[in-house]
């Protein structure tokens, strides 16, 4: 045995006299068997050792889960300050007796703490507590892993006897048993608690389908009685899933593979439900038989929600028809397939004047009409065709294998005729019709986007030809569409490059023969050729570019008017305003404000608004919109005049002349140029002129080109004339020169 102050890991002769410990260990074993708390068992063990060896103060420290620190287990006689100080101390070589024993896995005997190098950094703590010697034994589990230390402290320098070493060894072994047993019981209790409170059904069966164990969630889920039912037969329980799925599950289990998937189960009452199942097969070494662990949960609500989401993603909620997403997916699959069919056709359908139904009868009636329309179209088609609602009042029809023009014509006729028959919606008769566009794959297009575009062009051709009809796509439509796209792009560029120009066509007073006003005409030269306004103005209106173009025209025209005024103060200009700029309240307000802003930019002395006329079309009169009237009144309050252009070409009504704030009307040239020998036409022009004069309106005759037309205009009492007889449209420079004469 080494001298005091040296480190010793000593070997002592084995002593077989156990009479001291055996008579007391029964109490410890009883605590273990009773499942007493670990802290109580360890405290009893330490107290037993202390009673066996007077003057001893025992301590059990437990290794932390990370295997790096020692934690208090039981030390009833050691001072609290000391226990607190060493709680959580890291193990290591030379870290006191216990830290070293845990680190090395070997017994460490320190006879004199004050002089021993293991305690050099820590000796103040034990010496302050009156501890002079410390023997520590590592506690190992059944696999030889360190799980703690058992230590004996003394208040004097002391070396162990063989009996002491036997005692400390037996104490460590007993502590190991207590720790392992306690942890096993804790794990068992934890597992049992989890098993019992698991919200997922868990049942363990043998290969005879006898229930070996099951948690409450299992019995609750499938409505079984734990007292009466002792079998779980998967063949019967999963019967609604079908034989193939059940067979596939057993194939996996026979290969010792876990199986996971969705099945349909059948409760005791017969009701079925969707479940998510995980099943594993294992062999119980105690029972020496094959067992199965079935873990499943009810996913019926999730399944229903998923089905609802799937339905909403693929079907229209109002009509229950396929929606845009499903239709396009099916069509794309057909395009991508290697089908031997000759192709397919696609019909795009749009109800005519559906907005009027919503506006007059209400959206609820409009929805009911859409449902009835969908039913009528459905009755016209074969079950292999796919009818869809794309949104609003737009429907579409996918016709696989149907490409013959004669068959498509017959079907389209049937649909148009069926949809156009009167409807009875809530005891109200409702009329509508449908415009149809037809495109064929691969004849008209080779991909989905192009096919939709072709059908769209054909449908709008039906709209333009009067609605309530169908139209096949033609290559001319494509050429027109491409030209429209080119013109739209070029218009945008022309705006950015300031590439437009203005012409002016004088308006002459028949009384004086002088030019008193000129109409502003927009001209655009693209790639060296002039593009007719009849070609590019509708495109500008449909794209919304007409607003910016209109602002450009007014700015240039108002600037030109200032120049003309310097030569001829009484000259005036008439400027056309697109119907599009009166489409909404915001656009009307923007129109008025743009005129005000341009005037402010041009002069600070007051712009001569009284020399400026705004020309509008008859279609604006048809709207009879209160805000439109307010906007026109604002312009007139500024000093501008308002004229109706091309009067007589639209839905003319003389009553509108008294309702709108107007100053002039311009009789369309078709009335003037068709007047010769046509007494009814002459009478109509004369009547319009007389009524207009009676309302205080000036009348201008457009398109006067020959002497006979001029004579008729004079006879009708019209005092202002515009036409080639006097002047053709001219540039600003030419008009300036004419005014200077």
């Amino acid at each position: 045995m080494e001298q005091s102050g040296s480190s010793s890991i000593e070997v002592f002769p084995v002593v077989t006299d156990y009479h001291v410990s055996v008579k007391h260990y029964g109490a410890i074993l009883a605590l273990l068997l009773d499942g007493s708390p670990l802290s109580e068992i360890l405290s009893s063990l330490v107290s037993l050792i202390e009673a066996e060896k007077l003057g001893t103060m025992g301590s059990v420290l437990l290794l932390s889960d990370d295997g790096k620190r020692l934690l208090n287990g039981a030390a009833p006689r050691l001072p609290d300050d000391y226990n607190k100080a060493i709680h959580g101390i890291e193990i290591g070589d030379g870290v006191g007796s216990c830290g070293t024993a845990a680190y090395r896995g070997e017994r460490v005997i320190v006879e004199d703490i004050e002089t021993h190098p293991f305690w050099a950094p820590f000796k103040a703590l034990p010496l302050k507590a009156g501890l002079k010697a410390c023997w520590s034994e590592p506690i190992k589990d059944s696999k030889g892993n360190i799980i703690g230390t058992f230590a004996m402290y003394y208040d004097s320098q002391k070396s162990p006897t063989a009996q002491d070493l036997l005692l400390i060894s037996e104490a460590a072994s007993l502590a190991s048993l207590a720790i392992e047993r306690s942890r096993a019981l804790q794990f068992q209790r934890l597992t049992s608690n989890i098993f019992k409170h698991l919200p997922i059904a868990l049942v363990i069966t043998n290969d005879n389908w006898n229930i070996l164990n099951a948690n409450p969630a299992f019995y609750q889920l499938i409505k079984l009685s734990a007292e009466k039912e002792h079998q779980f037969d998967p063949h019967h329980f999963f019967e609604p899933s079908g034989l193939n799925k059940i067979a596939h599950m057993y194939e996996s289990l026979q290969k010792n593979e876990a199986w996971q998937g969705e099945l349909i189960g059948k409760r005791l009452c017969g009701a079925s439900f969707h479940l998510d199942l995980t099943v594993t097969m294992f062999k119980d070494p105690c029972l020496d038989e094959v067992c199965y662990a079935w873990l499943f949960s009810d996913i019926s609500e999730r399944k229903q929600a998923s089905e609802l989401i799937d339905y909403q993603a693929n079907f229209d909620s109002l009509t229950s028809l396929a929606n845009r997403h499903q239709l396009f997916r099916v069509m794309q699959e057909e395009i991508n397939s290697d089908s031997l069919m000759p192709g397919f056709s696609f019909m795009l359908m749009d109800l005519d004047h559906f907005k009027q139904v919503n506006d007059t009868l209400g959206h609820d009636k409009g929805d009911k009409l859409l449902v009835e329309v969908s039913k009528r179209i459905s009755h016209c088609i074969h079950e292999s065709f796919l009818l869809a609602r794309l949104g609003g009042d737009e429907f579409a029809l996918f016709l696989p294998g149907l490409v013959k023009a004669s068959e498509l014509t017959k079907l389209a006729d049937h649909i148009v005729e069926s949809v156009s028959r009167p409807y009875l919606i809530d005891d109200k008769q409702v009329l509508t019709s449908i415009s149809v566009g037809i495109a064929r794959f691969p004849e008209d297009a080779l991909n989905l986007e192009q096919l939709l575009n072709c059908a769209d062009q054909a449908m709008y051709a039906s709209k333009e030809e009067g609605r309530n009809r169908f139209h096949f796509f033609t290559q001319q439509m494509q050429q027109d569409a491409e030209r429209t796209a080119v013109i739209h792009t070029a218009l945008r560029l022309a705006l950015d490059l300031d590439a437009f120009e203005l012409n002016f066509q004088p308006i002459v007073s028949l009384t004086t023969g002088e030019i008193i006003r000129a109409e502003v005409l927009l001209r655009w030269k693209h790639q060296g050729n002039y593009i007719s306004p009849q070609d590019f103005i509708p495109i500008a209106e449909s794209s919304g570019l007409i607003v910016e173009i209109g602002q450009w025209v007014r700015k240039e025209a108002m600037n030109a008017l200032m120049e003309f005024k310097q030569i001829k103060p009484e000259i005036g200009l008439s400027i056309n305003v697109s119907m599009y700029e009166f489409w909404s309240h915001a656009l009307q307000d923007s129109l008025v404000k743009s005129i005000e802003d341009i005037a402010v930019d041009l002069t600070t002395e007051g712009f001569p608004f009284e020399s400026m006329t705004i020309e509008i079309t008859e279609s604006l009169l048809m709207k009879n919109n209160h805000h439109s009237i307010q906007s026109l009144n604002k312009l007139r309050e500024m000093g501008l005049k308002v004229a109706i252009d091309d009067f007589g070409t639209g839905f003319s009504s003389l009553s509108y002349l008294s309702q709108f704030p107007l100053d002039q009307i311009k009789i369309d040239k078709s009335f003037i140029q068709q007047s010769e020998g046509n007494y009814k036409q002459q009478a109509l022009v004369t009547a319009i002129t007389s009524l207009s004069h009676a309302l205080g309106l000036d009348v201008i005759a457009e398109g006067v080109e020959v002497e006979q037309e001029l004579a008729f205009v004079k006879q009708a009492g019209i005092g202002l004339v515009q036409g080639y007889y006097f002047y053709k449209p001219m540039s600003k420079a030419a008009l300036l020169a004419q005014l200077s004469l």
Side-chain angles (χ1 to χ4, degrees), residues 46 99 201 261 296 306 310 353 422 474 569:
V46 170
F296 53 90
S306 176
D310 181 69
H353 306 301
T474 64

Side-chain angles (χ1 to χ4, degrees), residues 82-107:
Y82 182 73
N83 285 332
K84 291 178 181 178
I86 66 172
H87 180 69
I89 190 170
E90 290 191 11
I91 67 172
D93 204 11
V95 181
S97 301
C98 295
T100 304
Y103 182 78
R104 293 183 177 181
E106 300 174 341
R107 180 187 301 155

Side-chain angles (χ1 to χ4, degrees), residues 70 81-82 85-100 110 112-132 134 153:
L70 290 173
D81 291 344
Y82 182 73
I86 66 172
H87 180 69
I89 190 170
E90 290 191 11
I91 67 172
D93 204 11
V95 181
S97 301
C98 295
T100 304
V110 174
D112 184 359
I113 290 176
E114 186 173 9
T115 61
H116 201 286
F118 287 178
W119 284 90
F122 318 103
K123 64 182 180 181
L125 287 172
L127 293 177
K128 181 181 178 182
L131 306 175
K132 303 292 183 65
C134 179
Y153 289 89

